């Protein structure tokens, strides 16, 4: 089979696009492993009564609007997850872009018993607007 110059370029573009898409598709899982798993667990299970779970989490399901800011700025103070009180400091991840926060949250939203609506980058960017000046609470 012989490809024309245009056909070869198209095949190259399709291959490059697929690889790029695959990397982005898995970015949420990689970001979770890098930034979240050491506290929230590799399967989102949390750590006993010290760190809340993100797996099958009522907090994840009920706090959609606040999650992007929570990831970016962190939080401190009492939080109730699945009926259990937690009171540890969660560091923020201000180094993550809006797109990375979207991918990270979408990974959590669709795994470990969570079946929540995925975010768009635009939605996350809009939800992050009011939290730029907050102290993470």
């Amino acid at each position: 089979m012989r490809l024309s110059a245009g056909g070869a370029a198209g095949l190259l573009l399709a291959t490059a696009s697929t690889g790029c898409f695959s990397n982005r598709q898995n970015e949420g899982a990689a970001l979770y492993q890098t930034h979240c798993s050491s506290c929230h667990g590799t399967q989102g299970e949390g750590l006993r009564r010290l760190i809340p779970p993100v797996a099958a989490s009522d907090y994840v399901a009920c706090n959609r609007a606040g999650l992007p800011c929570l990831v970016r700025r962190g939080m401190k103070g009492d939080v109730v997850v699945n009926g259990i009180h937690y009171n540890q400091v969660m560091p923020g991840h201000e180094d993550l872009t809006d797109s990375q926060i979207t991918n990270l949250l979408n990974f959590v939203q669709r795994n470990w018993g969570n079946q929540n609506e995925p975010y768009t980058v635009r939605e996350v960017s809009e939800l992050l607007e009011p939290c730029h000046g907050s102290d993470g609470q």
Side-chain angles (χ1 to χ4, degrees):
M1 178 175 150
R2 185 177 164 153
L3 290 176
S4 68
L11 183 59
L12 181 60
L13 181 60
T15 304
S17 295
T18 302
C20 183
F21 176 75
S22 296
N23 291 340
R24 296 290 290 175
Q25 183 179 3
N26 297 323
E27 183 181 42
L31 289 165
Y32 179 85
Q33 290 299 84
T34 300
H35 296 281
C36 311
S37 67
S38 62
C39 293
H40 290 287
T42 59
Q43 297 299 308
E45 71 276 14
L47 181 61
R48 297 187 201 104
R49 292 187 174 259
L50 295 174
I51 307 293
V54 294
S57 170
D58 62 353
Y59 190 88
V60 169
C62 296
N63 291 283
R64 179 180 183 82
L67 292 177
C69 192
L70 187 146
V71 171
R72 167 110 358 119
R73 303 286 293 180
M75 74 179 296
K76 57 185 172 183
D78 188 58
V79 64
V80 178
V81 178
N82 298 340
I84 299 172
H85 286 264
Y86 298 89
N87 195 352
Q88 297 291 324
V89 173
M90 178 181 142
H93 301 285
E94 296 197 28
D95 57 321
L96 297 179
T97 66
D98 294 7
S99 176
Q100 288 173 317
I101 290 173
T102 302
N103 288 329
L104 170 61
L105 287 174
N106 285 342
F107 174 74
V108 172
Q109 292 284 59
R110 304 299 290 174
N111 284 283
W112 308 311
N114 297 319
Q115 292 300 316
N116 306 308
E117 189 69 27
Y119 290 90
T120 64
V121 175
R122 174 177 284 174
E123 178 186 11
V124 167
S125 294
E126 289 171 359
L127 292 170
L128 285 168
E129 282 299 316
C131 84
H132 287 299
S134 75
D135 65 357
Q137 287 195 35

